[in-house]
Amino acid sequence: MRFRDGLAWTVLIFSACQSEPALPTYREPFLANEQKVAGMFPNEFPKEPLRELDSGWVFLGRDSIAGIYRDWQDPFPQAESVSLPHRLPLPNHSLWYSWKGILEPGILLVDADDGVQCWVNEKRTPRSVDGDFFEVEVSGETELNLRVVNNAMAGGLRGVQFFAKEAYQFWKVRKDQIIAGILVDRKLELLQDTDLKEEWDGMSYPELKALLADYPILFTPPVLIWSTDGGPFVRWVSESAGTAILRQKRGEEVRIESTNGIFTHKMERESSISFDLYQGKSFQGSFSVEATPVADSIKIALWGDSQGGWETFREVAEAIGAHQVDLSVGAGDLVNNGSEDWAYPRFLQLLSRMQAPQLLVPGNHDYDGYYDDLHAVQMNDYLFQPEVPTYGLQQFGPVAILSLDPNLNFPVSVPEGTLQREWLSEQLESDTWNNAPWKIIVLHQPPYSQGWPGYQGERTMRQLLEPYFHRGKVDLVVAGHTHDYERLSRKFSGHPVQFLVVGGAGGGLEPEGLQSDIPQMDRLIKKHHYGILEADDNQMRFKAYDLEGNTMDELTVRK
């Protein structure tokens, strides 16, 4: 499987006939220059009108009761006053807080790991439809109660801010104006057609905005993603919704409709396509995508926890691209906050630098902002397909890869009675799994980990998977979550299983010199990295590389 960007973003002017206007072309995708993108959009609320609610908080207690849906519970017998930020090393716990004071109608901003649920005067207040915050419609004496849902290694309440309703409305209008202006400026900056530039020079901003409305910028080059149902699809994001046209080299045209600017072209598993991409009056580039099966051997890139470390992730993506892999596997925490504006388009933009088909696994931060019901809207819209699970089983040549998503539940788990648990039991007994020369499980939370002090890996994942280890059902487990590189080889009833933690693709690294006493991993390296796995019917060979291209660790496993 190979992904190639042929003539994309080169200086091309297309004209089908004399009556058709020249099509503008752009020298690069909108999000290609990460330095220009950083801080470009006003996603954060302005600090001037923000009111810090940093005092008067009471930590009510903690519990590990399962389930995302909870009612407010009172009383808490061991409440204590705390100052913010307040964090505890308690993964998979609910942490409860309370505050009393005077409020007016406005917006409540809560910074918590991983998610938060809010009660105002003991009445549940859902997350706002406009963003990752809570709208407060009360005046006077107010009681706030917060449930911090911690799926991370350490969690709690970092900070709380309040934004008056009038200030929020003003900021919202101003934000839309700023983004519209940035889009116009960026289009003019990227435009290659000098004649059009001269023609448009001197126009007013409203004139330019209206003129350029028909010229959308392709935010992200197309990326081939393997769906969890086994089918490949091509995904890209445009500034504008509407109709895109894939004009194939053989002359056929495919029209792709989108209502939100996220475009999808489904492919057959054994197929390839070369096409020119158009939208509106814009020519977006020429691309070639292959989704052909792997036969006797495969080369796979393994990485995780890009998590908003955009510059580092760019280096990782470009390094993986140089290896010309057949498949890239991302082991979760793909973005830093799954509800943040532009996070997933930026992620897809950098993902395209790998020039490889993608198999993507969700992490806890990909669910950030969606702890009302654990339905991660943006993650599903940008990276998956409607009505398709976020877990799946696929075979690539000699390798069967089973991806899990324990983030669908709180605490992170795959409990009995859930669809995922029933599906998992069926797949691990299937012919596809049993007949594969190599059986690999990929998930975000590792069963074993040493790099974070006080964290030994995910207990629920050990309980889930260890019975299958003892039966010889698994050869390799790949995870992220801990931001370092870790490797462990262990036998279960005589069956060897390899464990890799590849959580160094961009997020901040775990503290050097601090780690858990157990388990004793065979290798523990706290550097940004990625891995390359090569497998045929007889052996798997793995190498971990740092950002300078040096080999950090290697492993060979033979049948």
Side-chain angles (χ1 to χ4, degrees):
M1 293 169 284
R2 292 285 185 264
F3 187 90
R4 300 187 301 275
D5 183 349
L7 301 175
W9 317 118
T10 54
V11 184
L12 293 176
I13 302 295
F14 176 84
S15 179
C17 59
Q18 293 293 328
S19 60
E20 187 172 348
L23 299 179
T25 54
Y26 301 96
R27 69 172 60 90
E28 63 181 14
F30 179 76
L31 298 176
N33 189 325
E34 188 56 42
Q35 291 182 342
K36 289 188 177 182
V37 171
M40 182 174 285
F41 294 99
N43 293 315
E44 296 184 357
F45 290 89
K47 299 185 182 302
E48 184 65 27
L50 282 177
R51 174 187 169 190
E52 300 284 347
L53 304 185
D54 52 3
S55 61
W57 284 95
V58 176
F59 176 56
L60 301 172
R62 67 192 189 190
D63 67 63
S64 57
I65 300 173
I68 198 62
Y69 300 104
R70 296 284 297 279
D71 293 327
W72 174 248
Q73 55 182 23
D74 193 39
F76 291 85
Q78 297 181 346
E80 60 174 313
S81 297
V82 295
S83 58
L84 304 185
H86 179 259
R87 302 183 79 216
L88 296 171
L90 289 170
N92 300 320
H93 276 73
S94 295
L95 309 176
W96 299 84
Y97 297 85
S98 182
W99 177 91
K100 292 182 180 179
I102 304 297
L103 289 182
E104 59 183 304
I107 302 299
L108 192 68
L109 309 174
V110 183
D111 184 5
D113 289 328
D114 274 311
V116 65
Q117 295 175 347
C118 178
W119 287 259
V120 179
N121 294 334
E122 298 189 5
K123 181 180 179 181
R124 177 73 182 275
T125 300
R127 173 186 184 269
S128 172
V129 295
D130 290 334
D132 190 14
F133 50 81
F134 302 92
E135 298 183 36
V136 177
E137 296 291 346
V138 297
S139 297
E141 187 71 26
T142 304
E143 179 179 0
L144 301 177
N145 295 309
L146 303 178
R147 175 200 182 194
V148 175
V149 182
N150 179 35
N151 274 337
M153 299 171 203
L157 190 57
R158 293 177 178 269
V160 180
Q161 298 170 311
F162 182 78
F163 204 49
K165 191 170 185 178
E166 294 78 6
Y168 168 69
Q169 295 295 342
F170 176 82
W171 171 85
K172 187 177 179 181
V173 173
R174 181 61 179 153
K175 174 186 175 182
D176 293 341
Q177 293 173 341
I178 292 174
I179 291 177
I182 289 172
L183 290 175
V184 169
D185 291 341
R186 187 67 167 140
K187 287 182 180 184
L188 293 176
E189 178 186 1
L190 298 177
L191 187 64
Q192 288 286 287
D193 191 322
T194 55
D195 292 337
L196 287 178
K197 278 190 173 183
E198 292 178 0
E199 179 182 343
W200 298 343
D201 186 35
M203 284 188 177
S204 66
Y205 167 73
E207 291 174 324
L208 284 172
K209 181 181 178 181
L211 181 66
L212 291 169
D214 292 332
Y215 297 94
I217 299 170
L218 183 69
F219 281 156
T220 65
V223 174
L224 178 62
I225 299 176
W226 284 101
S227 174
T228 54
D229 64 3
F233 64 93
V234 182
R235 171 65 48 80
W236 70 95
V237 182
S238 169
E239 171 216 341
S240 300
T243 303
I245 297 176
L246 276 66
R247 186 168 296 165
Q248 301 181 49
K249 299 303 183 183
R250 298 187 301 269
E252 301 95 332
E253 288 190 355
V254 180
R255 300 176 69 87
I256 311 295
E257 302 293 336
S258 170
T259 59
N260 57 5
I262 302 172
F263 288 84
T264 303
H265 175 57
K266 295 182 180 181
M267 298 179 61
E268 298 296 328
R269 186 174 177 90
E270 300 182 25
S271 63
S272 63
I273 181 173
S274 296
F275 59 91
D276 294 333
L277 183 58
Y278 301 85
Q279 187 182 351
K281 296 180 179 179
S282 292
F283 169 61
Q284 309 289 25
S286 298
F287 303 91
S288 180
V289 180
E290 297 181 15
T292 54
V294 178
D296 300 327
S297 64
I298 188 171
K299 181 190 287 189
I300 306 173
L302 302 175
W303 53 274
D305 296 84
S306 40
Q307 200 171 327
W310 302 117
E311 284 299 323
T312 300
F313 185 49
R314 176 184 56 79
E315 295 183 54
V316 169
E318 291 177 348
I320 289 174
H323 281 275
Q324 295 187 321
V325 298
D326 300 303
L327 179 68
S328 165
V329 177
D333 276 6
L334 309 172
V335 300
N336 188 52
N337 184 332
S339 64
E340 179 182 320
D341 290 344
W342 307 101
Y344 283 108
R346 292 172 77 176
F347 170 71
L348 286 167
Q349 173 65 50
L350 293 176
L351 203 64
S352 68
R353 292 175 178 265
M354 295 185 187
Q355 306 212 9
Q358 301 293 326
L359 181 61
L360 303 173
V361 177
N364 51 292
H365 282 294
D366 302 315
Y367 279 82
D368 281 351
Y370 299 104
Y371 280 84
D372 279 341
D373 56 9
L374 284 177
H375 177 65
V377 176
Q378 291 208 129
M379 180 191 75
N380 284 284
D381 284 349
Y382 282 104
L383 304 184
F384 293 91
Q385 295 190 85
E387 309 303 325
V388 176
T390 52
Y391 50 87
L393 170 62
Q394 300 193 55
Q395 183 159 6
F396 302 93
V399 172
I401 300 179
L402 188 149
S403 58
L404 292 175
D405 184 6
N407 308 280
L408 284 168
N409 306 282
F410 179 80
V412 289
S413 56
V414 184
E416 290 187 9
T418 61
L419 291 176
Q420 185 173 190
R421 182 64 169 265
E422 295 174 0
W423 169 89
L424 174 65
S425 299
E426 293 175 1
Q427 299 308 312
L428 291 181
E429 303 298 337
S430 68
D431 290 341
T432 299
W433 186 255
N434 289 325
N435 294 335
W438 299 103
K439 305 168 183 64
I440 301 175
I441 291 179
V442 183
L443 72 168
H444 181 60
Q445 289 84 357
Y448 303 97
S449 176
Q450 188 183 6
W452 178 268
Y455 182 68
Q456 301 170 10
E458 210 68 32
R459 178 178 56 86
T460 58
M461 294 299 98
R462 292 195 296 272
Q463 293 173 335
L464 173 69
L465 297 175
E466 280 184 351
Y468 297 105
F469 300 160
H470 285 286
R471 294 174 58 196
K473 289 280 190 178
V474 181
D475 297 304
L476 171 64
V477 179
V478 179
H481 201 45
T482 313
H483 292 192
D484 57 21
Y485 170 75
E486 303 183 39
R487 175 173 61 80
L488 174 66
S489 297
R490 179 173 287 187
K491 286 188 176 182
F492 298 82
S493 301
H495 300 288
V497 183
Q498 314 300 321
F499 299 89
L500 295 174
V501 176
V502 288
L509 297 172
E510 306 300 356
E512 194 69 47
L514 297 176
Q515 58 196 48
S516 296
D517 294 331
I518 56 175
Q520 289 290 325
M521 306 298 281
D522 297 334
R523 292 287 281 167
L524 170 58
I525 303 173
K526 297 186 176 183
K527 296 181 69 175
H528 288 112
H529 66 277
Y530 62 95
I532 300 294
L533 176 73
E534 297 185 69
D536 56 30
D537 287 349
N538 301 312
Q539 70 176 9
M540 290 193 301
R541 293 165 296 179
F542 174 79
K543 286 188 177 183
Y545 296 92
D546 64 19
L547 297 186
E548 286 70 45
N550 303 310
T551 301
M552 292 173 22
D553 187 35
E554 54 187 307
L555 171 72
T556 299
V557 182
R558 295 181 176 87
K559 284 291 184 184

